[in-house]
Amino acid sequence: MTSIAKPPVRHPGLERNELGLTRRDYEGAMSTLCAGCGHDSVTAALVQACFELSVVPHRVAKLSGIGCSSKTTAYFLKQAHGFNAVHGRMPAVATGVSAANRQLQIVGISGDGDSLSIGLGQLSHAIRRNVSMLYVLENNGVYGLTKGQFSASADVGSKAKRGESNRQKPIDPVLLALTLGATFVARSFSGDKAQLVPILKAGMKHRGFALIDVISPCVTFNDHEGSTKSYLSTRERMQEVAPVDFIPLTHEIRAAYDPGAALTVPMHDGSLVRFRKLAEDYDPTDRDRAYAHVKEHQSRGEVVTGLLYLEDDAEDMHALNRTVSAPLYDQPYESLCPGAAALEELMREFE
Amino acid sequence: MTSIAKPPVRHPGLERNELGLTRRDYEGAMSTLCAGCGHDSVTAALVQACFELSVVPHRVAKLSGIGCSSKTTAYFLKQAHGFNAVHGRMPAVATGVSAANRQLQIVGISGDGDSLSIGLGQLSHAIRRNVSMLYVLENNGVYGLTKGQFSASADVGSKAKRGESNRQKPIDPVLLALTLGATFVARSFSGDKAQLVPILKAGMKHRGFALIDVISPCVTFNDHEGSTKSYLSTRERMQEVAPVDFIPLTHEIRAAYDPGAALTVPMHDGSLVRFRKLAEDYDPTDRDRAYAHVKEHQSRGEVVTGLLYLEDDAEDMHALNRTVSAPLYDQPYESLCPGAAALEELMREFE
Amino acid sequence: MRGPRIDRLFPESASPDPSGNGRVHADDGSRVNDFAFKVGTVNGTGSASANSLLLQSIFRMGIPVSGKNVFPSNIQGLPTWYEIRVNGAGYTARTPDFDLVVAMNPATYARDVAEVRSGGWLLYDSSWPLDAALHRDDVIFIGVPLGKMCIEAFAGSRERTLMKNIAYAGALAALLGIDLQVIGDRIRAEFAKKPKLIDSNFTALHLGYDYAREHYACPLPIRLEPMDATRGHVLLDGNTAAALGCVYAGATVGAWYPITPATSLMDAFIRFCGRYRVDPETGERRYCIVQAEDELAAAGVVIGAGWAGARAFTPTAGPGISLMGEFIGLAYYTEIPAVFFDVQRTGPSTGMPTRTQQGDLMSIAYASHGDTKHVALFPCDPAECFHMAVQAFDLAERFQTPVFVVSDLDIGMNDWMVPKLEWDDSYRPNRGEVVTAEQLEAMQRFSRYLDVDGDGVAARSLPGVHPNGAYFTRGSGHDMHAAYTEDADAYTEVVDRLVRKLETAARAVPAPELRLREGAEAGIIALGGTHRAVLEAVDRLAAEGIPLDYLRIRGFPFDAPVADFLRRHERTFVVEQNRDGQLRALLMLETGIGGDRLLSIRDYGGVPLSARRVMDGVHAELAEVAA
Amino acid sequence: MRGPRIDRLFPESASPDPSGNGRVHADDGSRVNDFAFKVGTVNGTGSASANSLLLQSIFRMGIPVSGKNVFPSNIQGLPTWYEIRVNGAGYTARTPDFDLVVAMNPATYARDVAEVRSGGWLLYDSSWPLDAALHRDDVIFIGVPLGKMCIEAFAGSRERTLMKNIAYAGALAALLGIDLQVIGDRIRAEFAKKPKLIDSNFTALHLGYDYAREHYACPLPIRLEPMDATRGHVLLDGNTAAALGCVYAGATVGAWYPITPATSLMDAFIRFCGRYRVDPETGERRYCIVQAEDELAAAGVVIGAGWAGARAFTPTAGPGISLMGEFIGLAYYTEIPAVFFDVQRTGPSTGMPTRTQQGDLMSIAYASHGDTKHVALFPCDPAECFHMAVQAFDLAERFQTPVFVVSDLDIGMNDWMVPKLEWDDSYRPNRGEVVTAEQLEAMQRFSRYLDVDGDGVAARSLPGVHPNGAYFTRGSGHDMHAAYTEDADAYTEVVDRLVRKLETAARAVPAPELRLREGAEAGIIALGGTHRAVLEAVDRLAAEGIPLDYLRIRGFPFDAPVADFLRRHERTFVVEQNRDGQLRALLMLETGIGGDRLLSIRDYGGVPLSARRVMDGVHAELAEVAA
Ligand SMILES: Cc1ncc(C[n+]2csc(CCOP(=O)(O)OP(=O)(O)O)c2C)c(N)n1
Ligand SMILES: Cc1ncc(C[n+]2csc(CCOP(=O)(O)OP(=O)(O)O)c2C)c(N)n1
Ligand code: SF4
Ligand code: SF4
Ligand SMILES: [Mg+2]
Ligand SMILES: [Mg+2]
């Protein structure tokens, strides 16, 4: 089936959001990914999340590395600047973008190869700096674009299409992020839009680095029987810690007093993240418990999903750096240049 | 004080080991590090460990990256090949050395800058491959050789010599290694030779990747008041999980039946690691408990030391690859080349 | 220093043909065994197997043929083309002139129609009416209801899509006169393990074949006739050949990070090792492959393995070369053997990963900061990929330095007609100067970087062999004894020797291949995958009365014959596939010749070079010179 | 295109002096204000402050002077030297001829004694008997019991070690005639905040000073006399000056990974930002510094920030340049402004991190795989580091491409006498073609890579400004509208424009500086930190009757004047500090000139170039030509 024949991301009707925009206004170029690729569902969820949040399209900067997953950035928000950087190096570029213009909403898209192999160092240090951005890791356990080699997230025993099975331990981005001090850590599934959309919304509103590991099956190279990253095996093994709702600032009052909610976490901008119910004594604000919980279920072959850890009051890169609130890229030159007199004075120290 | 005036690594007498070698035979070039640098104590411990293990000097390959710490490789085992690779890239080089000659005893030395910043990706993937080698991370919280910038292991609030204090969360190599599935994880202190030496010995005998994070103060740039990596603060905050003994194969029988020991773990070659006593219900064979234990004490500002996790029956890189036991570098050519007839036959498939 | 020699790898069938074009005109005025056609489809729909079925069948009819795959950088759903050139005279370079086009992809229909040469043929799927706007009076449209027929004949959309490809192959068989028997054998061989697929393939084949015969005069005036020009040859891609070279050279450590178009090299190496290097009883492997986390690590693994004495290599493409820069400099300065395959793709940056180019020449020659120079080999076809892979390991160990085998996407991933690969069992690896335990035992002091015989090469010791061999390897300043130094003279002594070493290496790399022409005044120089196009152009130009002496460079650094050639010719055309004339730049730098004597012919759009492009370039330059 | 111009940055005091050597001979036959001495000590013992005390005091006496720090790549305990040259005529290039050596380090004692010129002086610590074996009859030994005196005068080993340095400074003050008043002022200024240190420093100073005067005839025949030749000048290092340039250019984002000798550039930038860019009330910072995890990341941060519209830069050295290769290619092809400072050190690989070289020229000019070319500026001293830093940001934004300021360890870390830096408050950054929200609002379609006026530059839009400005930036193949493409023509259109863009840039980079000489037949070319040595050599050669026209290159790509200069001279000497003649290579490549006309003079042992070395090179080459 050719991409030409493929319709753009599907969506119901032409409903309008607070900005009077329709979902179509949040779409991008036509996908050139394989029909059925999990990544296209993530794209759809991103479109939905941006639409519901009434994001101003051109205030977003979309960045990615290289890979099928990294192509996602081209398939949503056509009115936003996009940047396909080099393989595995998007975190550094995003850090620079944030440094130059902290008012941009930064959305980073990556893959498991892009993030956990060549890009592991950069991802880890972007987490450490707590750069304010949404980081979506479209995780399919393989290098799709180079035709199906195992990636570092492939589980032990997972079978490749050609039959051989992976024997190296996987790198779990969720456990890694928790260990490195990430302030927003979630795992979801491209096949579960209901769960994914609110998490994406919360992630975009988070101040700091929001990592969302999205299991996003590769139908061409890793969706067969024996693969642990297939649609089937993911559905079977998923264990959600809690369904969450994201309640934007504007709706705050109404939502704040929801008796039914198990836990409601306020975000720095006044909006709320509400955990409708929680798995047995789970606490998404306790890093170590979250870590232990994920490991425990992993040992049972289960995949814990949901918004696993949230710490919204930590300092992000700019808070740590004490950067002025106005974007650096358009500070008036006069406020940056000390001028001739200052230089004259400074020179005395070198006479 | 010039290095010329500085005596080589100190050691008592001229006692001889099973190979009839003295400690001096395990020494290397004279150190050019600052007087009092923690790294020189690590060197002394390495000399001691190799001496006690009766390591055959020239069967060892010493590798490191770049940094004051990475210079350590030059200061012990002058009869062994040494390799100062490029900054942060020693793990890959060591992986290649192991691939070519699995019979070499590989000792890798690195620093916190070398391992946790520029080298984080390579360290992580060497761990994942479980390359059989001892990996000593001489951790001083700064970049010594470039004159004292904070490294990624600097604790929040730790003060630099110039006064400013670090605000970014540290990357803890121990927690990282546990998360990435490392099979031998320890933390020690350059100032505690009694603890360090047996751990180094066990690490050298470990089949797989043995990470030892050694807090090794930088007297010139990070040993002042307010630094959390100073001699003083480390001594104050150290909490040992258990004193360990390494009992080589040869002594096995005598040692095996030690009633006093809290736990005795056999290594693949028959030698034993004995934990003399253990901190409250600590189990060095339980990865998740080890992780939790370290975190818990960290929250109290304590630094857990000792051999924290040991898994000696995991497959190392060569087991995973099913490599022949004889070193690849000197396989007889005949056993590698299929020959003219095979090519003739193969060509038919392309006719 | 040896003089240039005529290389034996090139099919005799392609040796200059007087007519200059090798066309065979049959009595009926039709063009036999000399035409080109291409198929436009959508990737991921299974057309690849149909296309190679066509290519191989023609080859088995004994007719020189080549196939060029022009594919997109995605996995499924985008336009892709396959070009086949048939040439009885043995000219198998790409040609941009298509006598027939099969237009299977509505998305590229207009473009495909436009690409048919005037008077040529267009084969299309007539299941649905044809857009009148796209009609051309000067082209003969051949409609075959491929889709309809397959829908009737097969169940399931996947099978229908797949079989449509076999159906157009059947139609082409009828139109071009491909031996049905030969195709049949190929199909049977192909699906030996899946018999039921054989039937559906045959059904599809005949759908197209029969329909074409019933509705059109078959064969067309462009047609095939069996020959005997492919005997002793094979259809082989360069990455497979290079991988075989690594196996035969005795390489045991392969490190890589997947990247198009180099990936299939390691795929093949893994396949061959599985076949030839696994102990049948124990299942133990006489090789170790490390899929590294990135190219920096891959280079590090290769360097570590080379230092420890194994033959190690890594296949990569341009981006990998850039990332390996620091490590390449380390290997150069510490003098560690390492073999790098650069299967070039179109740059700069990510560029066009599925298009070809020769854009990494400069990056490789002087890779890494500081003063460096590296050995490089330039295979012109898959056969040379095999032989040069073996040479690369010998050179790397003899000169203890990085060696680059510089291939490209066209050589690496397309099937080329080359002489059957042969092996001489008397070959033994040249490990270079490596001191043994015995020699070390006898030594007072081993000085790692001491050159005794003046060739610039110092003997090395391997770790684990003998205590006297121990030395410290460092990328920082070192003297001839491998001791750390910051002394100007001690430092200079070592880096000056490296210059001598590379001079020696220049005399050891494969000699350039020289083809002199009666009465030639000007020369022409090329390297790598452009060879067949240049060779064809040189023949045709000679036939036009423009004889040129042709020098094909096969190794770097250049040896004296290259400078001699340039000096002997007032003007020399330099043909290459990059924008900036990188080969021309290397010639200027290394021989000191002035740029005014080097006329540049460049083609860098990403498709394999054609003879026509070269001829146009020569004509244009000559016109300029004349004016 | 502008013609070359005489650059005003060079101290007038150094304008050619007829005698060709600027020596001043006093009546008493002593050499005044024209000599060189060096101090050999151990690093980490505090000698640095004593040495700069000497340097600054001489400078404040109004005498042109320079100091070269020759230090080891470790932190403490290894030999280190500090060389000071005094020259009334203003020649401040390094000289290898030492009239006096202070030997404070037993480990290098022999070597230090050997380095005194015949008839010169050796100052040593006579606290302990001197090894007779090291005696030289042609050298005058001056013993001062520095150690003993300090042990008696001070308590605590640290203070004793430190004060020994001030003591030898005191002795030198007496021997060379340094104004005690001036030194005293320096000490008071230095320790204004630590008064008690002032006393001990004075004590130590007088220990040396008084002892020397009592035991030796002071001053020596090599001595100082106050002048007025440093007015309007400062003693400044290049990294500090470059950092100031970044501040004045309005750079707001600095990313880096520490590396010698570039570290002090970012240290200075951080210091100046703390001083000039922090809001006194809120403490908010008008800058953001990212200490990256490695050089790849540092480059990525700079590119991201440049893409988003900030002026961003990263300082690094050779190894960093190699690691940034892939990112540099991305910035070139996606056309993103980025400024890189390469403070060169001795390569290849890790090389000698504390030694200087000009070894990265080729690596920078064509950095990254595929066809690329980059803009580079070559400051010749700290003053130009300041001005060229500012120019670099303007060029990077005008041409939307990486710009390299190519400095070296000698310029970057040593104190040079340069004209006081001045600033013109009318300067405004040239942001290049950036479309505004208003312009975008009015546009039908914004095509990111469309060049309207033929200069090769296309207007860019910044993220967050206007929906019409949105486009997709990619390192993969793209057309003029920034759309993904694998089409040969669309791809070619863009990369060909990049060639035009760099041609325009060649005319915008700083023009070469030309110094013509009456009757000169041959030319001489150099760039960067070798300028003062070449200038001195050219003067002396002229005095010898060998006039040379001198062209100092200041920017890359080269503009027409460079080719003209080469064409106008039958022979041109190319002076540079690398092994392979990289500047010579660039000249050949970019101008097409033959190598036979470019005579190479190279010096690459890691120490700053001296005029003598240049003159020797010229003499040798001329002898060759003659023969
Ligand atoms: C430096 C470099 N090395 C290798 C490649 C080839 N390459 C492109 S994408 C990719 C891996 C993609 O895997 P992942 O990030 O998981 O994305 P996916 O395709 O699976 O969605 C590789 C190795 C490249 N583009 N650049
Ligand atoms: C590619 C590269 N970048 C930067 C440097 C400069 N450099 C040398 S050592 C070092 C950091 C060393 O820190 P660490 O590993 O902690 O070792 P330490 O000196 O603290 O023992 C740096 C940044 C280098 N040598 N190579
Ligand atoms: S190959 Fe896999 S990951 Fe890539 S587009 Fe196809 S399905 Fe998606
Ligand atoms: S600087 Fe610090 S780390 Fe380096 S040698 Fe000195 S004390 Fe050790
Ligand atoms: Mg993937
Ligand atoms: Mg450190």
Side-chain angles (χ1 to χ4, degrees), chain D residues 399-435:
Chain D
F399 297 102
Q400 304 168 17
T401 198
V403 172
F404 296 80
V405 180
V406 186
S407 169
D408 62 39
L409 181 141
D410 179 29
I411 301 174
M413 294 185 71
N414 284 323
D415 286 327
W416 292 50
M417 171 175 153
V418 293
K420 206 180 268 176
L421 301 182
E422 285 169 2
W423 187 251
D424 172 357
D425 278 328
S426 70
Y427 166 86
R428 284 296 171 275
N430 181 338
R431 308 298 311 265
E433 298 181 34
V434 181
V435 286

Side-chain angles (χ1 to χ4, degrees), chain A residues 58-59 61-64 73-74 78-87 89 92-93 95-97 99-101 104 121-122 125 129 317-318 320-325 328-329 331 333-344 346-351, chain D residues 59-60 234-236 244 247-250 252 272 275-277 284-293 296-297 300-301 304-305 307-310 326-327 336 386 420-423 425 427-429 461-467 469-475:
Chain A
H58 77 275
R59 305 292 302 155
K62 310 170 293 178
L63 295 98
S64 59
T73 36
K78 54 178 132 24
Q79 292 184 341
H81 271 58
F83 197 152
N84 252 167
V86 283
H87 191 34
R89 316 294 177 187
V93 178
T95 302
V97 173
N101 185 350
L104 288 172
Q122 292 209 344
H125 284 271
R129 281 183 201 103
M317 177 177 76
H318 285 295
L320 290 166
N321 180 68
R322 301 205 183 77
T323 323
V324 286
S325 47
L328 287 175
Y329 89 95
Q331 294 285 322
Y333 175 68
E334 298 63 29
S335 72
L336 300 176
C337 178
L343 186 58
E344 171 86 51
L346 179 67
M347 280 301 109
R348 295 217 185 83
E349 297 172 20
F350 298 90
E351 271 172 358
Chain D
F59 179 77
R60 279 181 174 63
V234 288
L235 277 180
L236 188 64
L244 262 178
V247 171
Y248 275 75
T252 51
F272 290 129
R275 205 198 271 205
Y276 299 120
R277 294 271 193 87
E284 286 184 331
R285 299 175 170 176
R286 289 200 144 72
Y287 62 97
C288 182
I289 285 152
V290 179
Q291 183 183 313
E293 58 272 29
L296 291 85
V301 170
W307 181 77
E326 187 193 24
F327 256 133
I336 295 173
F386 173 73
K420 206 180 268 176
L421 301 182
E422 285 169 2
W423 187 251
D425 278 328
Y427 166 86
R428 284 296 171 275
S461 65
L462 300 181
V465 171
H466 192 285
Y471 71 96
F472 203 84
T473 306
R474 45 167 67 85

